[in-house]
Every structure is written in C-alpha cells, then in structure tokens.
C-alpha cells in the first residue's frame, strides 16, 4: 500500500497561505486530510462549532475537486488520528501549531503514539503572523508588555514581509490515489450571523477594506458597524493573518494592523505562560445574582445590558464593548474574571482561547503594570454611543427614550416609562 501524507486541519481551514498544506505538497506523496468533527449539540459553544463545520465542509469540497479526501473523525482525538493514519498508511501527519496547554498536551500524546508506529508528526505555524517564539526580547525571553512587543513585531515584519509576501494558494496536483472520496457529514441547522468558509472570509475582508481609512475614527462607535468582523474567520483559520497583515500594511492601516499584533501577543503569552490558561478552571466564588443579571443584560446600566444581549443573541460584540463589559464585571463589580471569560468562551462566534484569556486578564489589570482606567458605565455610554442608537437596537424597552435620558433612565424616575427595565444593580 502506497505511503501518503495526512494533513490534519484544525484552526487553518483554508487553502490560501496554508503552511501545513504547502509542506504537505512538498513531500511529494498522495495527500489526504482529516478534520475532528464536533457537532453543535456536543459543544459548549454551539455557534462556533456550527461555523467551523461550515468552513470544513467548504474545504472538503475544494479538496475533493483535486481528488483529495477529507475524513471527518470523532471520538477520542488521539486514538482516532492514530487509527486513521495507520489505516491510510501515512508516512507523515502534518498539523497547525497549537498554543493552548490542553492542545499541546494532546499533541504530545499523539506524537508519542504516531512515533511508536514510525509515523512522523510535524507542526507548522498557521494561526499567527509570527510563531510563538519568533518575537523575543534581547535576552531571549518573551515580552511581558504589549508596547515593546509591538515595536519588536513591527521591526521583524518590516524585515520579513517587505519583499516577501505570503504564498497564495499552492498548486495541488490532481490525484487519483483514492477511488472514493468520503462525503462530509451534514450538520443540524443553527442560525449564524456569518457564513463559515474561506470564500466568505475574503468577501468580508473586501467589504471592510475600503473603510480602513475611517477605522481609527469610527471603531469605538458600535452603532456605526465600522469594525472588520473578521474575528470568527481568523479564529477558524478561514483567512490567513499573514496575508491580512501584508494587506493592511500596504494600505497604511496601522490602527487596524495593531489588532493582528495584539492577537500574536496573546497567543505567545498563552504559550509561554500556560499557568494563566489553567487559571480559567479555578473555581472561585461568584455572586450568583450579579452573574445572572450581567449575563442576561439586566444590570440596569443600558450600554452594559445592550452589549450583553447583543453577544448572547448574535455571538458577536464590538471590541470596545467587550472591554467595557469585562471591566464592569472585573473592576466595578469586583467579580472573578474567570467566570466572565468562561461565559464569553461559550458564546463568542469568534472565540479564541488565547485572545479571550488575554482580553480578560487585561480587563482585570493582570497583563499590565498599570491599573486599568474604568469609566462610569454612563460616561462610557455617552462616549461610545452618544445618541443611544446601539442601546435602542438591543433594548427595545428603552427605544422610545431621547438621547439625554436613555443612558441613565433611572435619573428621570417616574417621568419616563421604562417598560420594566430595572434600576441599576449597584450604586457607583
């Protein structure tokens, strides 16, 4: 039986600028692919599971056009990958580099199982612009602060990507090594605000790119919808962060490029500080009533509640509001960040363990030497949603209120009908 190269697609569900796929083609052996299937009903984050399933289904169809099968496996991941690799007579198993402690632990187990069978297990960076140890201090240590990391990142980017662009889609020769290509499993229907897949990712970028010039002016006004909404595609790997970085730099979009730099920073932070990720599982006491009202959008602070209802209903929230609601939870309510981070991880369409952890530890003041400045929720509402458009969109019970009342309806007391909207849960 002929040897093959097995590509395990995880968070790199694309063909363009896919380092794993490029190295697989270079091996010169027939290709096959695998995807670990997690159905929405089996996931703590059904939206994201459905989104990734859509992306994998599109990828399966694109590979099938080249005669490359994509096998959907289930059950114990390590045992399933070992079984597939041995059954297909794989010489190599190639996969995108992992960053979370749980993934790294699992990868090490898989490496041992495959190595015992004489199968090579190789990993390549496909999730970030720079890999986890590419950007280090002059002492060879990971940066602890974002500002110096950003400067080092920009310097490395200028050296590496000024003349060298990320590769386009590799030329995959049509193969006939597999007589039958397995159909990709269908998924139970679930409503999503975005369509998964590489084609949809590029459509989203092309739609957003013309707005890069006004992004610095409008990014903190959620009612304007001026952010890229590419997070879900980056998290699933439907679009290459390297290609986006080159595109953004070429357009002079330095403010938006900082999002990709911060994403790299959080990924390398998680790798070098696995204990931070393990803190996510700490069982710390929480005020149950606070948690219920915060997650249900019933705190009595309109911008906070509008943001939380938006996230709960759609799975997405503008970055500025993620920061506002996280700081409200961690700093204003003095509640443990772990509970907020876990709830976000269960609801975000674009959930990424490293980015979620980094954002929450930043909100809690753990990733900075400086105490975060947290504005009063009413001040934040007036700053980020001055005319109340975003609030009205998600709090219909307050939609009739004018802009000089909607941010703090409790001050009007009996003069307005709040249609059951609660008073503030705490005095600030």
């Amino acid at each position: 039986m002929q040897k093959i190269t097995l590509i395990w697609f995880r968070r790199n569900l694309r063909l363009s600028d896919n380092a794993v796929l490029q190295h697989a083609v270079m091996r010169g052996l027939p290709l096959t692919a695998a995807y670990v299937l997690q159905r929405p009903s089996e996931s703590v984050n059904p939206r994201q599971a459905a989104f990734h399933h859509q992306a994998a289904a599109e990828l399966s169809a694109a590979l099938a056009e080249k005669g490359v099968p994509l096998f959907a496996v289930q059950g114990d991941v390590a045992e399933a990958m070992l079984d597939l690799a041995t059954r297909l007579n794989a010489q190599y198993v190639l996969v995108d580099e992992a960053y979370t402690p749980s993934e790294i632990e699992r990868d090490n187990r898989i490496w041992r199982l495959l190595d015992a069978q004489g199968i090579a297990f190789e990993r390549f960076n496909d999730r970030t612009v720079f890999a986890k140890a590419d950007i280090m201090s002059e002492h060879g240590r990971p940066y602890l602060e974002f500002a110096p990391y950003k400067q080092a990142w920009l310097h490395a980017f200028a050296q590496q990507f000024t003349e060298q662009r990320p590769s386009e889609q590799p030329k995959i020769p049509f193969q006939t090594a597999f007589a039958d290509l397995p159909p990709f499993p269908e998924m139970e229907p679930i409503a999503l605000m975005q369509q998964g897949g590489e084609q949809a990712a590029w459509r989203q970028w092309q739609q957003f790119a013309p707005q890069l010039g006004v992004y610095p002016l409008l990014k903190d006004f959620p009612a304007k919808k001026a952010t890229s909404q590419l997070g879900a595609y980056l998290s699933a790997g439907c679009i290459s962060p390297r290609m986006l970085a080159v595109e953004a730099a070429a357009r002079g979009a330095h403010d938006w490029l900082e999002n990709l730099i911060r994403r790299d920073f959080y990924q390398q932070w998680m790798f070098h500080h696995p204990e931070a990720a393990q803190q996510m599982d700490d069982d710390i006491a929480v005020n149950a009533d606070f948690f219920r009202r915060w997650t249900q959008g019933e705190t009595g602070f309109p911008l906070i509640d509008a943001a939380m209802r938006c996230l709960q209903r759609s799975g997405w929230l503008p970055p500025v509001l993620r920061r506002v609601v996280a700081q409200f939870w961690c700093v204003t309510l003095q509640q443990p960040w772990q509970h907020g981070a876990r709830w976000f991880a269960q609801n975000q369409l674009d959930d990424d363990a490293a980015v979620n952890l980094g954002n929450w530890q930043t909100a809690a003041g753990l990733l900075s030497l400086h105490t975060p400045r947290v504005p009063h929720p009413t001040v934040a509402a007036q700053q980020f949603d001055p005319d109340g458009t975003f609030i009205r969109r998600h709090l219909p019970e307050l939609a009739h209120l004018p802009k000089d009342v909607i941010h703090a309806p409790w001050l009007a007391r009996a003069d307005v009908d709040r249609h059951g909207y609660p008073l503030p849960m705490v005095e600030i």
Side-chain angles (χ1 to χ4, degrees), residues 84-374:
L84 183 64
T86 52
R87 179 160 52 89
L88 297 176
N89 198 30
Q91 183 170 338
Y92 307 97
V93 175
L94 275 56
V95 68
D96 60 311
E97 187 76 75
Y99 283 80
T100 66
S102 60
E103 272 190 303
I104 292 171
E105 181 180 358
R106 187 180 65 187
D107 280 2
N108 289 338
R109 180 187 172 209
I110 293 173
W111 172 79
R112 289 190 293 269
L113 291 172
L114 292 174
D115 184 64
Q117 301 299 320
I119 303 171
F121 185 60
E122 302 179 25
R123 288 158 276 192
F124 303 92
N125 176 48
D126 253 341
R127 302 189 188 183
T128 57
V129 180
F130 289 104
K132 53 198 177 188
D134 283 350
I135 308 296
M136 306 291 278
S137 72
E138 59 183 4
H139 303 294
R141 297 178 180 178
Y143 286 97
L144 302 179
E145 288 276 315
F146 176 67
Y149 176 87
K150 175 184 174 181
Q151 294 304 314
W153 190 101
L154 288 170
H155 178 73
F157 183 81
Q159 289 185 316
Q160 182 168 336
F161 288 96
T162 299
E163 298 181 356
Q164 175 186 352
R165 293 178 59 87
S167 60
E168 300 294 336
Q169 185 171 321
K171 294 182 179 179
I172 307 173
F174 183 84
Q175 62 182 39
T176 57
F178 296 87
D180 298 313
L181 302 182
F184 197 77
E186 294 185 359
M187 173 195 67
E188 56 263 39
I190 184 171
L192 297 175
M193 67 168 288
Q194 290 180 297
Q195 177 76 26
E198 185 173 6
Q199 294 183 43
W202 282 108
R203 286 196 300 269
Q204 184 65 35
W205 167 251
Q206 290 162 2
Q207 178 181 335
F208 169 69
Q211 304 177 52
L212 282 167
V214 297
Y215 172 79
L217 302 175
L218 301 181
K219 64 183 177 67
D220 289 339
F221 297 98
K224 301 294 185 182
K225 298 182 180 180
T227 57
S228 72
Q229 298 188 39
L230 283 166
Y233 298 109
L234 283 165
S235 177
C238 297
I239 196 166
S240 164
R242 291 179 291 256
M243 297 187 81
L244 288 179
V246 169
E247 291 274 350
R251 296 169 182 264
H254 303 296
D255 286 81
W256 189 82
L257 180 62
E258 183 170 308
N259 296 314
L260 296 178
I261 303 174
R262 189 174 294 276
R263 182 174 178 273
D264 275 15
F265 175 70
Y266 286 153
Q267 298 285 354
Q268 64 89 30
W269 171 268
M270 172 171 277
F271 173 75
H272 292 287
H273 299 275
E275 70 283 355
Q278 293 160 356
Q279 291 173 11
M280 281 276 285
D281 298 325
D282 291 349
D283 188 16
I284 301 176
V286 67
N287 185 310
D289 183 58
F290 279 11
F291 186 72
R292 179 190 63 81
R293 294 186 64 172
W294 179 72
T295 56
Q296 297 301 312
E298 298 175 355
T299 68
F301 295 98
L303 184 65
I304 301 297
D305 293 338
M308 294 301 287
R309 294 189 198 182
C310 174
L311 178 56
Q312 184 184 61
R313 293 167 181 167
S314 71
W316 182 81
L317 193 60
V320 64
L321 293 186
R322 298 189 198 207
R323 183 177 74 247
V324 168
V325 299
Q327 289 180 337
F328 179 81
W329 175 255
C330 295
V331 182
T332 303
L333 299 182
Q334 290 291 297
Q335 296 298 299
W337 64 268
Q338 290 90 336
H339 289 268
R342 285 197 292 267
W343 191 83
F344 265 49
Q346 295 165 5
N347 287 275
Q348 296 177 125
L349 183 63
D350 59 357
D351 185 59
D352 180 295
V355 176
N356 188 44
L357 175 70
N359 283 334
W360 274 93
Q361 291 210 328
T362 298
L366 302 177
L367 278 189
S368 175
L369 300 176
H370 310 288
T371 303
R373 177 182 174 273
V374 180

